[in-house]
Amino acid sequence: MPQISIILPTFNVEKYIKKALDSCINQSLKDIEIIVVDDLGSDNSINIAKEEALKDKRIKIIHNEKNLGTFASRNVGVLNSSSAYIMFLDPDDTLALNACELALKEIKDFDLICFDALVHRVNTKQFYRFKQNENFNQSEFLNFLLQQRHFCWSVWAKLFKKDMIFKVFQKINPYEKLSYSEDMFFCYMYFMQCEKIRICKELVYYYEFNENGRYESKKFLYQNYLDKQKSFKFIKEFSLEFKNDIFHKNLFEILEKELNDLKNRLDRIV
């Protein structure tokens, strides 16, 4: 049985997927599986993945019966995984070649490991630098989150326990169609199951911002707004099950501001 499953939800990323897969194939930890979830794009992404799968039996390709979006496609990957631990990789990003080895070394009795990342936008490269390795209980971690940049709410640069993801699936519809703000909803539900969390300053994830300007398109901004609105609604509903009212009050203020900012951007587009 592989020790870690890396899951790549795949839709129209033919320019990038080979590089993403190479970063998985060449991991220093060899005992892994690489799950590509085909969300029925229109380009050559899956054919490229199939070519790589012929050369490396650790690559498994799952074909959705219909387009499900990023959230559900990731969850399909989890449901088809064989490992006790899960990492997510967007197929236009890459992993450091020691990412899995480091993650397995650090997980021990923690429920979640969060690593550092580098975000590469068109004109900038920005490290989201953790200053030091730290251990938290849930309450401490939630307070820590409120002070951090957004990527702490992303599924990438983390190692999850599959049995705890299944606990999340007992509370939500894993096939919910979400392609924006899906990370925050998933992470929120997972964080609320955690008792012990470790932050590691090692950089293991390279995020490429390849939106090609579509966030300025009214169509995509509107879908982003609808998905963010849906995710926020779900989080509010599930917050009633969890304690820590101060955290939720602050979180809701942040989410309300994000929604209002996005609505204002939409209103400015003719």
Side-chain angles (χ1 to χ4, degrees), residues 102-122:
L102 277 173
L104 201 61
K105 177 183 175 183
E106 294 289 347
I107 190 69
K108 298 177 183 175
D109 60 344
F110 294 100
D111 299 317
L112 174 70
I113 306 295
C114 302
F115 289 99
D116 208 347
L118 182 145
V119 175
H120 183 197
R121 296 178 183 269
V122 176

Side-chain angles (χ1 to χ4, degrees), residues 16-146:
Y16 315 105
I17 191 168
K18 174 66 164 61
K19 187 175 180 181
L21 287 172
D22 282 347
S23 77
C24 299
I25 292 165
N26 295 313
Q27 285 293 305
S28 57
L29 178 69
K30 302 303 180 186
D31 189 13
I32 62 174
E33 69 176 351
I34 304 157
I35 301 178
V36 177
V37 183
D38 172 18
D39 202 26
L40 307 182
S42 58
D43 71 358
N44 203 40
S45 301
I46 297 305
N47 288 332
I48 294 170
K50 286 179 179 177
E51 290 175 5
E52 295 303 310
L54 291 174
K55 296 180 283 186
D56 193 322
K57 299 304 181 185
R58 296 175 300 170
I59 300 175
K60 180 192 300 185
I61 300 177
I62 308 296
H63 301 279
N64 291 341
E65 294 183 2
K66 61 180 181 178
N67 177 263
L68 296 177
T70 308
F71 179 74
S73 292
R74 286 189 183 125
N75 296 339
V76 166
V78 174
L79 292 168
N80 283 276
S81 65
S82 305
S83 310
Y85 299 108
I86 302 293
M87 294 185 79
F88 296 106
L89 174 64
D90 289 348
D92 51 355
D93 301 336
T94 56
L95 292 171
L97 297 185
N98 62 346
C100 291
E101 182 179 2
L102 277 173
L104 201 61
K105 177 183 175 183
E106 294 289 347
I107 190 69
K108 298 177 183 175
D109 60 344
F110 294 100
D111 299 317
L112 174 70
I113 306 295
C114 302
F115 289 99
D116 208 347
L118 182 145
V119 175
H120 183 197
R121 296 178 183 269
V122 176
N123 297 316
T124 62
K125 287 187 177 182
Q126 183 172 10
F127 286 90
Y128 285 153
R129 178 60 69 196
F130 292 139
K131 295 179 181 179
Q132 59 190 9
N133 295 346
E134 295 183 76
N135 301 335
F136 299 97
N137 62 31
Q138 185 190 83
S139 179
E140 292 166 342
F141 182 65
L142 295 181
N143 290 332
F144 171 83
L145 280 175
L146 293 174

